[in-house]
Amino acid sequence: PTSYDARGDFTIPNVKNQDSYGTCWTFSTLAACEVDGIKDGLNSNMDLSELQLAYFTYQRLNDPLNNMVQEGATINSSKYNYLNLGGNAQWAILSLAKWQGGVNEADLPYEQASVTGKYNENLAYNKDSVHLQNSQWINMADVTDIKNAIMQYGIVATSYYDLDSAYNDTTYGYYGNSTNTTNHAIALIGWDDNYDKTNFNTKPTNNGAWLVRNSWGSTWGDSGYFWISYEDTSIKDSNAYTIEIESANNYDNNYQYDGSVISSYYKNTRNYTYSSVANVFQVGSNESIEAVSFVADSAYTDYEVFVYTDLPKNYTSPEDGTLIAKATGSKTYAGY
């Protein structure tokens, strides 16, 4: 349709307030988690802890299986504090992928946020109520794909560059054309192809805008919402992130070595048909592998997953073991 507002089809939680902290990235990502959980019937009042996600994203803690044994570094100090270091939806998603997040708000309320606060390490891995299952990373230039995602999921996380002079507080319209970098994370819940370009302080070429759920409280903007032009140069160069979650009892263990969200990528720079990577784990007894996860930073990725067991003591490759399972597929979008 030419216009759409997900609030007519989905339960969108009330707008929250990040206060003076740089935690917008947790609010936009967890809003997408909450809407997915509500629409799937996990909890009609789902409310997840932004403080927990922000705090433990910046901690280095051992995981329950001790695959990430570390000294445990923190950066809670007057110079580097986790509340104002910022982040993005991708970092939040990779934290959730570690099962280091998805905790109920009641377990660590945002009003307890403190630059010098130290919180119970038990909240890192042992209090999660939901687990991330999938996340698609869609380029914001693909307007039709973004619209389809909003109609399917109710909400997508993204970001733009906030500049006071680009915001019209009478029409709640925002349009910036001076940068393609971003500094604020938001969530999109709809659009209007006919939103008049005269509603912006500086007129873009065409009509049309996204409907934004912000995290500056319900007294800001239009009860916490505003419109951003399709042509805003910062949002056009961003990604939109969909979220799918499940109850935290979906799997028993999460074998991983993902000790940090400061991600790096293996890039195939030669003319190879494919690239291979592997993880090797010492696993418990009487366990069955129910799922395998990976991140693809490129769209249209074909993949094959192989599972080997019984590696000999002096193995030189995982393929020295016994192949017990194989799965193949293709992903349209980048993502987890």
Side-chain angles (χ1 to χ4, degrees):
T2 57
S3 64
Y4 178 75
D5 186 336
R7 289 173 292 187
D9 293 329
F10 298 90
T11 299
I12 307 294
N14 293 332
V15 172
K16 299 180 181 180
N17 194 340
Q18 69 186 77
D19 295 323
S20 60
Y21 302 118
T23 51
C24 53
W25 53 287
T26 65
F27 282 84
S28 64
T29 306
L30 290 183
C33 291
E34 290 166 352
V35 171
D36 189 70
I38 292 169
K39 78 176 178 61
D40 288 347
L42 296 182
N43 183 343
S44 61
N45 298 304
M46 182 168 289
D47 187 5
L48 301 175
S49 172
E50 290 83 11
L51 176 57
Q52 188 272 352
L53 183 58
Y55 181 79
F56 287 102
T57 291
Y58 278 111
Q59 311 309 309
R60 303 293 178 260
L61 302 173
N62 294 346
D63 71 301
L65 298 175
N66 287 319
N67 283 320
M68 298 185 294
V69 177
Q70 301 167 72
E71 293 300 320
T74 66
I75 43 180
N76 295 354
S77 71
S78 58
K79 185 176 181 181
Y80 300 109
N81 72 77
Y82 71 100
L83 288 172
N84 289 314
L85 281 173
N88 53 51
Q90 190 175 115
W91 284 20
I93 287 164
L94 296 178
S95 252
L96 294 169
K98 295 192 295 182
W99 295 1
Q100 193 169 297
V103 169
N104 289 326
E105 174 72 9
D107 288 318
L108 191 56
Y110 196 73
E111 54 262 29
Q112 293 183 16
S114 168
V115 169
T116 57
K118 295 185 182 298
Y119 306 106
N120 190 331
E121 292 188 2
N122 192 50
L123 291 167
Y125 290 104
N126 299 317
K127 286 287 188 177
D128 42 329
S129 63
V130 298
H131 286 161
L132 175 69
Q133 277 299 104
N134 301 291
S135 175
Q136 299 177 125
W137 306 351
I138 310 172
N139 192 297
M140 282 295 300
D142 299 327
V143 171
T144 299
D145 288 4
I146 303 298
K147 289 178 176 179
N148 286 331
I150 293 172
M151 292 189 71
Q152 180 177 352
Y153 296 98
I155 195 169
V156 297
T158 189
S159 58
Y160 77 108
Y161 191 91
D162 180 72
L163 188 66
D164 287 345
S165 61
Y167 176 65
N168 187 318
D169 59 9
T170 301
T171 62
Y172 315 115
Y174 184 95
Y175 168 60
N177 61 359
S178 61
T179 180
N180 56 6
T181 61
T182 66
N183 65 359
H184 183 53
I186 51 175
L188 306 181
I189 68 161
W191 67 87
D192 184 353
D193 292 343
N194 297 313
Y195 186 86
D196 201 306
K197 60 185 177 182
T198 62
N199 288 329
F200 303 107
N201 290 342
T202 301
K203 285 196 299 185
T205 304
N206 300 295
N207 295 336
W210 300 107
L211 178 57
V212 180
R213 179 189 188 271
N214 207 352
S215 54
W216 293 342
S218 59
T219 60
W220 182 88
D222 185 10
S223 299
Y225 290 83
F226 72 102
W227 296 90
I228 187 168
S229 169
Y230 292 153
E231 297 178 20
D232 179 88
T233 54
S234 61
I235 200 169
K236 279 174 61 178
D237 270 5
S238 300
N239 284 333
Y241 299 85
T242 69
I243 300 285
E244 295 177 76
I245 61 172
E246 289 187 5
S247 172
N249 62 8
N250 57 349
Y251 306 115
D252 295 321
N253 293 311
N254 184 7
Y255 286 89
Q256 58 175 316
Y257 297 120
D258 299 328
S260 171
V261 297
I262 312 300
S263 54
S264 58
Y265 291 96
Y266 177 85
K267 188 173 183 178
N268 183 353
T269 57
R270 300 184 183 183
N271 189 25
Y272 293 149
T273 304
Y274 63 89
S275 301
S276 298
V277 295
N279 281 334
V280 178
F281 300 104
Q282 182 71 44
V283 300
S285 60
N286 299 318
E287 290 187 326
S288 62
I289 298 175
E290 300 293 337
V292 174
S293 65
F294 64 94
V295 171
D297 195 40
S298 301
Y300 302 107
T301 298
D302 299 322
Y303 65 87
E304 294 178 304
V305 177
F306 303 90
V307 179
Y308 293 85
T309 61
D310 305 312
L311 268 65
K313 185 175 181 179
N314 296 318
Y315 73 90
T316 58
S317 163
E319 295 173 324
D320 293 343
T322 302
L323 178 65
I324 63 164
K326 176 181 177 180
T328 64
S330 180
K331 303 306 294 182
T332 301
Y333 303 108
Y336 167 79

